[in-house]
Each structure stands twice: as C-alpha cells, then as structure tokens.
Amino acid sequence: MASSSITPITMEDVLEPPVISELQLVKFEITLPPRSPTGSSAIHLICLEFSNQYTIFVTETAVIGSLIEAVPDEPVDFGNSVTYSATTIFGKEELTLHLLARRLVEIFQKRITMAISCRSLEMDTIRLIETEVQRRFKEDHQASPT
C-alpha cells in the first residue's frame, strides 16, 4: 500500500491569491511583536469577514492549532444583558481560548470562528490580542460606516 504524505497548511497558503485576495474577504491583518526577546515569535492575526460571521486566524507558529466557535446566545427575559457561548470544535479545550473567543464575538457582534495556535497564551497576551482587534475594528468602522 502506497503511503501518502499530508502537507500542513500554512498561513501563506491561506492568503495565497486568488483565493482570499480576489474575494476581498480580509477585513484586517495585525502583526503583534514578539513578547520576549528570546523564545517568542510575532503573533499574526488575520480577520476574514463574511456576511453572517467573522473568521479569525491567530498564530505564532504558522499552523492552525485549535478551532473555537463563539456565538451570542438568545436573549433571556432577565434584562438587557447578552451572554456568549464558546465551543471547541477541535484542539485544546482551554478556558483562555474560550475567554478570547467570547470577547471577540462581543466586539464583532456576530458569530466568530477562531483558529488559534500560540506557544503560550497568558492573560497579558489575551488582553493584547483583544485590545488590538478592538482598536482595528473601531478604526475600520469609523473609516467606512455601514
């Protein structure tokens, strides 16, 4: 039986024309600098916008590690508060990943799918990703209101 080798998909493959660039799905790209001078790489974040959801790639390792989906829950008759649910589709089941996904769905106000692979996700890294996404999202909405 012949063996087949599986080639991993990298971020460069995802952004290879004409798939993404010609469809104009890329909402924004952010590169966060390495968190420490040794043993850490830059974190690359790419946000794709579809009509009913956002897909966010967050990677330090140029691969997709975990896939998380987050959605706003149906409103309940307990006031105006909205809650968000996060589910791990595959990969690590980590509270920090669910926290980040919930915060991103709160920013975008739409369903999100987040593919993430970082060597270490400390709370300061989560806050940095969240802050930069929120800043960029606000900038884009001020530049072109819909």
Side-chain angles (χ1 to χ4, degrees), residues 9 24 33 43 50 52 56 59 62 67 70 74 76 78 81 92 96 120-121 130 133 136 138:
I9 296 175
Q24 298 179 351
I43 295 175
F50 298 92
N52 64 341
I56 299 114
T59 185
L67 190 63
E74 293 297 319
V76 183
F78 296 129
S81 64
K92 290 182 181 179
T96 54
S120 173
L121 274 178
E130 175 191 342
V133 167
R136 186 60 186 269
K138 284 181 180 179

Side-chain angles (χ1 to χ4, degrees), residues 30-124:
I30 300 170
T31 300
L32 303 173
R35 294 167 304 216
S36 68
T38 59
S40 172
S41 301
I43 295 175
H44 302 283
L45 190 140
I46 300 164
C47 179
L48 307 178
E49 181 180 22
F50 298 92
S51 62
N52 64 341
Q53 77 173 43
Y54 287 90
T55 300
I56 299 114
F57 296 91
V58 181
T59 185
E60 183 182 20
T61 60
V63 297
I64 296 172
S66 297
L67 190 63
I68 313 292
E69 179 181 54
V71 296
D73 293 330
E74 293 297 319
V76 183
D77 274 341
F78 296 129
N80 295 333
S81 64
V82 178
T83 58
Y84 307 95
S85 295
T87 306
T88 301
I89 297 170
F90 66 80
K92 290 182 181 179
E93 185 79 35
E94 289 188 32
L95 182 60
T96 54
L97 297 180
H98 285 213
L99 173 66
L100 178 58
R102 286 186 178 126
R103 291 295 296 138
L104 294 178
V105 78
E106 187 174 2
I107 292 167
F108 293 125
Q109 294 297 304
K110 286 185 183 179
R111 169 189 302 267
I112 68 145
T113 304
M114 177 178 69
I116 186 165
S117 177
C118 292
R119 290 183 183 94
S120 173
L121 274 178
E122 306 295 328
M123 283 308 295
D124 60 334

